[in-house]
Amino acid sequence: MLAAMPPTPPPAPEPGETRVRDRGDACPGALRLHPADDGRLARLRLPAGRLTPRQARVLADAAERLGDGRISVTSRGNAELRGLGEGCGTELAALLAGAGLLPSPRHERIRNIVASPAAGLDGLGTADVQLWARELDALLCAEPWTAALSGRFLFALDDGRGDMTGLGADVTLVAVPDAPDRGALLWSGGRALRVGGTDAARAAAAAAGAFLAAARAAGTGAWRVAELPPGHAPDLAGALARAGIPAEPVPAPALPHEAPPAPGPLGERGLYVLAPLGRLTAAQLRALADGADEVRLTPWRGAVVVTGQAADGTTDRAAGRLPVLAGLGLITRPDSPWAGVTACTGRPGCAKSLADVRGDATAGTAPEPGPDEAPGTGDEARAGSPGRLLPVHFSGCERRCGHPRGEWVDVLATADGAYRVNGAPTPRTSLPGAVATARTTTTPTTTTR
């Protein structure tokens, strides 16, 4: 485990400054398409990143038929389709609704729920937060008032290992390992309460209600908890009491913090792979779904594949599929130099970008190890072990869209056709060496944005 730490707060205004939102939330969704230079963009919320095999195949079909043939995995484990045509909205909505991916059109943009993707697979967690995620999603979709949440409000459900605590969520639930009822810590706005495990999802929904009440009282149009002005913290205890949820206020604890799993096997029923630069081809997504019980997209732009039992009743070793997935171009090994490399959309898809950052990221990253080299087990290169490279993110402009949380190497395009690597001016031709050095020896960027 890495050093204990509280959840990373979401974006906040400068000290002493209160952020005022004077317009509505324009965050894209599956029904509200966003215009970009490469066509329309649809963002599909996937609570806990979960896709059934059929849903994964429908999403792959939609990408091929209506978009550019790829599925982008976002930093919240959601899915984006790009290159969509002007008049495809109705057809896309029908495809997604038919696959059960739009349970409530009114709520589709507020279903932002991340959950420990390896829960129930590798023996490290203390609660199946995937079940909490499904219950919370059903609660959010059932209540009219939750539609007032912004498309950026985030719930994080951590099974006790600490992989969700650094994602800057507005409401965080962390399973408590020593609780007789498998309880949870509810964390929001710098306050913590202890609740029972059976009440965890309801408590998270109540915390969202407390935020909306505080935002209305503040009158600043806040979209997220960290945007609330001083003196307007959500009344968590009051909200839980009104919902009939027993809760015990506790001092702000030091929560566990663990980096993401490494690519490779996750127990006997799961495996984890990363999408190169955060984008899956339709063929790759279909391959992930083939023979799976479910696919869980992750905030680290990867996918956990969960398998069931073989026909003879024995456990199906998911790890046996890794060579096939590696052959399709997915990142399956912890020592891959591509592990942790991400990039924003860049040119030509984004008008604000100063460079083709995806092309430059490809040129600036070492080649993949040969296919004849056996992949690691995942345990040997788990987060925090020796040799783990820092994440690196290529950005086309100062907004740094999609950058990682915590420590990372900042590769920023500049107007003169070059880059800055952690602030140091770097010609494009020098990127491979500069990035490789920065990932192992220099002080990384740390951000809570």
Side-chain angles (χ1 to χ4, degrees):
M1 301 285 283
L2 301 180
M5 62 178 290
T8 303
E14 296 297 323
E17 176 185 338
T18 296
R19 174 173 292 167
V20 177
R21 299 284 190 184
D22 56 2
R23 61 178 178 83
D25 175 21
C27 202
L31 303 178
R32 178 191 288 178
L33 306 188
H34 174 75
D37 274 18
D38 57 350
R40 299 277 168 169
L41 177 153
R43 183 175 299 157
L44 177 61
R45 270 65 173 188
L46 301 172
R50 181 176 181 268
L51 288 166
T52 66
R54 176 172 175 265
Q55 289 171 337
R57 287 189 283 269
V58 167
L59 196 55
D61 291 346
E64 283 186 333
R65 288 170 49 186
L66 306 175
D68 64 4
R70 292 179 179 269
I71 300 93
S72 296
V73 184
T74 77
S75 59
R76 294 182 169 192
N78 293 320
E80 284 185 352
L81 301 180
R82 299 191 67 97
L84 298 168
E86 286 282 344
C88 75
T90 300
E91 184 178 359
L92 175 62
L95 285 172
L96 298 178
L101 289 168
L102 292 176
S104 173
R106 185 179 180 186
H107 297 84
E108 62 98 3
R109 292 189 312 124
I110 62 99
R111 302 169 68 220
N112 290 305
I113 304 171
V114 293
S116 299
L121 298 175
D122 59 2
L124 295 183
T126 60
D128 190 349
V129 292
Q130 293 287 318
L131 297 179
W132 288 359
R134 296 181 202 180
E135 183 182 355
L136 175 58
D137 183 41
L139 290 170
L140 295 177
C141 289
E143 294 290 345
W145 62 264
T146 59
L149 293 169
S150 82
R152 306 187 188 193
F153 194 89
L154 179 63
F155 299 88
L157 314 182
D158 192 299
D159 69 357
R161 74 183 67 211
D163 59 345
M164 296 287 110
T165 57
L167 295 184
D170 297 279
V171 176
T172 300
L173 281 174
V174 182
V176 180
D178 59 350
D181 60 350
R182 292 185 178 272
L185 285 175
L186 173 70
W187 182 294
S188 184
R191 291 169 169 78
L193 296 94
R194 189 159 177 160
V195 299
T198 56
D199 293 323
R202 288 202 305 133
F211 161 74
L212 288 177
R216 286 192 296 270
T220 58
W223 292 346
R224 308 199 62 188
V225 171
E227 296 177 1
L228 292 170
H232 289 275
D235 179 13
L236 294 183
L240 267 61
R242 289 188 292 273
I245 300 173
E248 175 190 358
V250 296
L255 298 178
H257 176 62
E258 184 71 49
L266 290 173
E268 294 190 346
R269 295 184 53 239
L271 61 86
Y272 183 47
V273 300
L274 293 169
L277 297 181
R279 301 198 79 193
L280 293 166
T281 65
Q284 288 170 338
L285 183 55
R286 291 191 187 99
L288 292 173
D290 185 26
D293 278 3
E294 66 182 38
V295 177
R296 303 171 184 172
L297 301 185
T298 76
W300 313 289
R301 295 180 169 82
V304 168
V305 178
V306 183
T307 61
Q309 290 186 328
D312 61 2
T314 60
T315 300
D316 186 7
R317 291 289 299 184
R321 301 184 57 200
L322 287 172
V324 174
L325 298 177
L328 291 171
L330 291 164
I331 301 165
T332 62
R333 39 187 305 139
D335 58 350
S336 168
W338 280 91
V341 178
T342 56
C344 70
T345 297
R347 290 180 179 170
C350 178
K352 296 183 182 297
S353 181
L354 299 174
D356 174 11
V357 291
R358 291 183 179 274
D360 291 338
T362 299
T365 303
E368 186 77 7
D372 56 334
E373 300 176 43
T377 63
D379 293 332
E380 66 194 41
R382 188 166 293 282
S385 64
R388 183 73 178 259
L389 297 174
L390 283 170
V392 56
H393 186 70
F394 288 73
S395 302
C397 74
E398 293 280 356
R399 295 186 304 166
R400 295 176 173 84
C401 294
H403 69 71
R405 297 276 177 176
E407 295 183 335
W408 52 286
V409 176
D410 179 31
V411 184
L412 177 67
T414 54
D416 58 0
Y419 281 83
R420 292 202 304 267
V421 178
N422 283 347
T426 306
R428 181 180 280 106
T429 55
S430 300
L431 277 178
V435 170
T437 300
R439 297 189 77 182
T440 56
T441 63
T442 63
T443 301
T445 294
T446 301
T447 184
T448 59
R449 293 199 311 161

